[in-house]
Amino acid sequence: MNRQGLLASGERISILLGLALTMVMAMPGYYIVRDNERLVLVCGGVAALVVVSAILWQRASSSVRTDVARSLKRLVLWLLASVVATALWHLVTGQAQFWYQWLPRAMILGLLLHTLYGWWRPAQQ
């Protein structure tokens, strides 16, 4: 089996970057409540995910890089759909929460849906 095929795939890189973006969206909540320890841990985690994604991008072939662009577009669509759905849910149910409380949950939902879609989608030959 090809080592590069094991290390780099478009879905894997998009999921890593989606996780980093989700962690970034949780940072304002930690900053507002003055939880500096978690804020530092999240910053370190985001930095690690970005470095790993950059290494995978560097090792990726041109076809994998094309797949990354396609996967990132799909990730953005899932994230936007989940943010809109979560915002509508909070408006309909009347739950009073600040944006920094529900936004990370919406991003987690979008990342989860993106991951499940990539997992259930038929493999490309």
Side-chain angles (χ1 to χ4, degrees):
M1 188 175 272
N2 187 359
R3 181 174 168 83
Q4 187 173 1
L6 284 174
L7 291 177
S9 74
E11 291 290 328
R12 184 173 296 139
I13 294 171
S14 70
I15 290 170
L16 288 173
L17 291 175
L19 183 57
L21 184 61
T22 301
M23 291 169 73
V24 166
M25 290 300 147
M27 290 170 69
Y30 294 132
Y31 179 76
I32 290 170
V33 298
R34 304 282 191 243
D35 193 352
N36 293 332
E37 291 84 13
R38 287 189 183 162
L39 190 60
V40 169
L41 286 172
V42 168
C43 288
V46 168
L49 287 170
V50 169
V51 166
V52 169
S53 298
I55 290 170
L56 289 176
W57 173 264
Q58 180 185 17
R59 291 182 167 202
S61 64
S62 62
S63 64
V64 171
R65 289 183 183 187
T66 305
D67 190 38
V68 169
R70 211 173 315 122
S71 295
L72 286 175
K73 288 177 188 174
R74 202 169 31 246
L75 172 67
V76 169
L77 290 176
W78 280 115
L79 292 177
L80 288 175
S82 65
V83 167
V84 168
T86 305
L88 288 175
W89 175 261
H90 282 286
L91 286 175
V92 169
T93 60
Q95 295 177 351
Q97 286 188 336
F98 295 108
W99 64 271
Y100 61 85
Q101 293 174 321
W102 62 264
L103 184 60
R105 295 179 194 143
M107 298 292 285
I108 290 169
L109 176 64
L111 181 61
L112 180 64
L113 291 172
H114 172 69
T115 304
L116 289 175
Y117 177 78
W119 184 42
W120 279 328
R121 197 182 58 183
Q124 297 174 355
Q125 298 296 332

